[in-house]
Amino acid sequence: PLPKVHLVDMESETAEVRKVVVLSRAMERMLEDTLARGEQAIMLMNRRGFANRIVCPACHERMTCPNCNVNLVVHAAGGYTVCHYCRGRVPIPEFCPNIACRERLVQLGHGTQRIESILASRFPLARIRRVDSDTMRVRGDYEQLIEDFEKRNIDLLVGTQMIAKGLDFPYVSFVGIVDANMGAFADFRASERMFQLVTQVAGRAGRAGTAGNVVVQSTDPESPALQLALRHDYEAF
């Protein structure tokens, strides 16, 4: 049976709890229930790294790649920032480079590393593994991951689209999509990619004959492509 999908409007969630929200209350509650039952879960965050931009709160200067002029992405595990276009690396800056400012910089946005950190703090007993191009460097890394997850040595996978398709594990009963609208306005094919990704990763839940649960977080819950994906309505899309 198809999984039961729960849509969370993140703008309403933020307004209700009066603070910036990364994981909604519904997401945390269902994930907690899943882990308590001894079942497995998958969390999709289709951006690697820890934070996707560094800005100065005073003068609004943003830290960009010296080669490409695009935002540098924080990779906290390695202690550096990376340009995801040219692969250039720069040590994580602490203070605004503007001599007249020198305010302490802040890191905004989130990627797989930050989600992994939040989940480890919220569920300290869960065995969590991050899956992205930073952790899966050679074929053997991915094969070992699949084997460990199949043997239930991992409770929770956190990753990019690498975990969205082709996996069939009977004990996965929950899938969380942290940000369904990521890249929604990138280009004219963005709605197709979103529909494909949401449909595919949602299908990872409930593979053993029982319906699983999927929580989809979105800042644009009325998006036609998203609504059709949540109904698994391929023909209408």
Side-chain angles (χ1 to χ4, degrees):
L2 292 173
K4 185 176 181 181
V5 180
H6 311 266
L7 178 61
V8 178
D9 182 346
M10 292 304 285
E11 289 191 357
S12 298
E13 183 84 3
T14 299
E16 286 182 26
V17 300
R18 297 183 180 181
K19 65 178 182 179
V20 177
V21 178
V22 177
L23 301 180
S24 63
R25 292 165 293 179
M27 178 90 76
E28 287 200 4
R29 184 178 66 253
M30 292 189 194
L31 180 54
E32 184 176 23
D33 291 344
T34 299
L35 296 175
R37 293 194 301 268
E39 297 168 351
Q40 294 171 300
I42 291 175
M43 296 284 285
L44 176 73
M45 178 67 219
N46 202 26
R47 180 196 289 128
R48 59 197 174 93
F50 189 85
N52 68 320
R53 59 192 186 278
I54 307 174
V55 300
C56 174
C59 70
H60 306 294
E61 179 90 7
R62 64 187 178 97
M63 303 302 103
T64 59
C65 173
N67 303 317
C68 309
N69 198 35
V70 298
N71 288 343
L72 289 168
V73 178
V74 178
H75 287 244
Y80 51 78
T81 60
V82 178
C83 172
H84 285 183
Y85 283 85
C86 73
R87 304 293 296 166
R89 295 188 179 191
V90 178
I92 300 174
E94 291 187 41
F95 300 97
C96 179
N98 185 343
I99 300 299
C101 180
R102 301 301 291 167
E103 184 72 28
R104 183 175 291 276
L105 299 170
V106 296
Q107 300 174 6
L108 302 176
H110 43 265
T112 49
Q113 285 186 18
R114 175 163 279 180
I115 301 304
E116 179 189 31
S117 175
I118 292 172
L119 289 169
S121 174
R122 178 66 181 82
F123 304 100
L125 298 181
R127 296 166 296 177
I128 303 172
R129 186 76 60 85
R130 176 164 52 89
V131 187
D132 54 32
S133 57
D134 293 324
T135 60
M136 303 288 110
R137 296 188 177 276
V138 296
R139 181 186 179 91
D141 293 339
Y142 194 71
E143 292 174 344
Q144 185 62 52
L145 171 85
I146 298 301
E147 181 180 340
D148 289 342
F149 200 56
E150 198 166 41
K151 291 180 177 179
R152 303 182 70 185
N153 295 327
I154 302 170
D155 301 313
L156 176 57
L157 285 183
V158 182
T160 59
Q161 60 184 352
M162 295 174 70
I163 61 174
K165 34 195 163 181
L167 303 179
D168 185 2
F169 298 106
Y171 292 100
V172 173
S173 61
F174 177 81
V175 167
I177 301 176
V178 179
D179 186 358
N181 297 101
M182 181 173 295
F185 308 103
D187 58 46
F188 71 95
R189 295 162 296 188
S191 62
E192 294 179 21
R193 284 195 291 266
M194 180 174 68
F195 179 89
Q196 179 192 56
L197 193 59
V198 171
T199 301
Q200 288 177 329
V201 74
R204 302 309 102 203
R207 308 290 287 182
T210 57
N213 283 292
V214 179
V215 172
V216 179
Q217 298 183 164
S218 171
T219 55
D220 184 20
E222 300 304 318
S223 162
L226 180 58
Q227 287 292 327
L228 292 171
L230 299 182
R231 297 201 298 268
H232 315 286
D233 197 340
Y234 175 80
E235 293 296 333
F237 180 78

